[in-house]
Amino acid sequence: MGALQLDDKVILITGALGAAGSEAIKLFLERGALVAACDIRPVSDFAELDSLTEKYGSGRLMFVQGDMRNEADVREAVAAIDQTFGRLNGTYHNAYVNKVALIAEQSLEDWEDCIRGCLTSTFLVMKYSAALMIRSGGGSIVSTSSVLGGNILRSGNAGYGAGKAGLEQLTRIAALEYAPYGIRANAVVPGDFKSDEVLAAISQAHLDTMSKISMLGRSGRANEINEVAAFLLSDAASYVTGSMYPVTGGIMS
């Protein structure tokens, strides 16, 4: 069976200039989607914009700068998508905030920023993107959670873990509320993911330790999670909603 296609689906990718988001842009374009890339960073940081536009056509890729923690930014981003494409068929929400600190040492400001970055941003993206999806005849919302939002515990990740745990329950409730409108809501739940550049800088001792925490004995790559997101955004997942999809390599600890 060939690769799942996203033919002419308009898909919003948030956190689009991050490691997973930047690879998702290329993967989704390759699969035939029209992509609205959104990131808190400016368009000048989108080094591949011109080359991707030349390769896939100027009408298939747009960039919107916005902070998904900010309601006005989310509302304006979705309005820009409506103005450019006239519809929205899917959302792949990757934006997040993590500020690592022990509970006793974390400031309230950093705690609240984690919750806003992981949970409130998901609520806002769901709220405004779903409104446009309803007018577009339905769609698919895919959010990115983390194993740290479940039973895998790491000191210093209270805000991030709590935000991701909330994201998962929010996803289930969104699946329930939006089902009558033909909108599905799911989340991918990644484990340890690292880029080739990061892996190249890690010591062998660290690599050996990492190899013991998952059944597959390695870190994942960005497109190994993006492929699952592409499935959930595609028509092949038409009967999948309210689900959390682990993409963990069989993480054990």
Side-chain angles (χ1 to χ4, degrees):
M1 184 174 67
L4 290 170
Q5 294 300 302
L6 298 169
D7 290 342
D8 289 326
K9 291 185 183 294
V10 177
I11 298 176
L12 164 63
I13 302 173
T14 70
L17 301 187
S22 58
E23 292 300 318
I25 292 171
K26 291 179 278 189
L27 178 67
F28 294 178
L29 285 170
E30 184 180 310
R31 299 287 170 82
L34 289 76
V35 173
C38 182
D39 201 275
I40 194 171
R41 286 172 282 183
V43 68
S44 58
D45 284 4
F46 193 178
E48 295 181 277
L49 177 60
D50 289 342
S51 62
L52 290 173
T53 299
E54 182 177 354
K55 181 176 181 179
Y56 294 102
S58 59
R60 305 198 69 85
L61 175 63
M62 65 177 289
F63 179 83
V64 184
Q65 184 179 6
D67 183 345
M68 299 298 96
R69 297 168 293 182
N70 183 295
E71 184 171 18
D73 282 11
V74 178
R75 184 171 57 241
E76 289 169 11
V78 173
I81 294 167
D82 189 13
Q83 183 175 15
T84 300
F85 294 124
R87 58 190 169 90
L88 181 62
N89 308 112
T91 296
Y92 184 26
H93 178 48
N94 277 293
Y96 72 93
V97 171
N98 187 14
K99 298 187 176 181
V100 178
L102 298 176
I103 293 171
E105 299 170 1
Q106 187 157 61
S107 68
L108 178 60
E109 180 182 17
D110 283 353
W111 163 268
E112 290 179 340
D113 203 19
C114 287
I115 299 301
R116 288 187 66 81
C118 295
L119 182 55
T120 304
S121 69
T122 307
F123 162 75
L124 292 170
V125 170
M126 283 181 174
K127 177 178 179 178
Y128 287 98
S129 65
L132 182 51
M133 284 183 202
I134 290 171
R135 291 198 281 117
S136 305
S140 173
I141 298 169
V142 179
S143 302
T144 304
S145 185
S146 168
V147 292
L148 298 183
N151 295 325
I152 302 298
L153 306 178
R154 296 286 186 273
S155 292
N157 283 277
Y160 179 77
K164 293 297 189 180
L167 178 155
E168 294 190 8
Q169 188 67 349
L170 175 61
T171 297
R172 296 182 185 98
I173 294 170
L176 173 64
E177 292 185 359
Y178 288 115
Y181 303 99
I183 296 173
R184 298 178 293 105
N186 298 284
V188 288
V189 186
D192 181 65
F193 278 77
K194 289 182 170 61
S195 67
D196 290 338
E197 293 77 11
V198 170
L199 287 171
I202 293 175
S203 69
Q204 187 59 49
H206 192 170
L207 288 171
D208 291 343
T209 299
M210 285 167 47
S211 72
K212 298 174 183 176
I213 70 172
S214 74
M215 296 176 190
L216 297 184
R218 64 174 178 84
S219 292
R221 300 295 187 272
N223 271 349
E224 290 181 301
I225 183 171
N226 292 337
E227 287 282 5
V228 178
F231 162 69
L232 293 170
L233 289 162
S234 77
D235 294 338
S238 59
Y239 201 56
V240 180
T241 196
S243 297
M244 310 299 121
Y245 267 66
V247 193
T248 68
I251 197 165
M252 298 179 289
S253 62

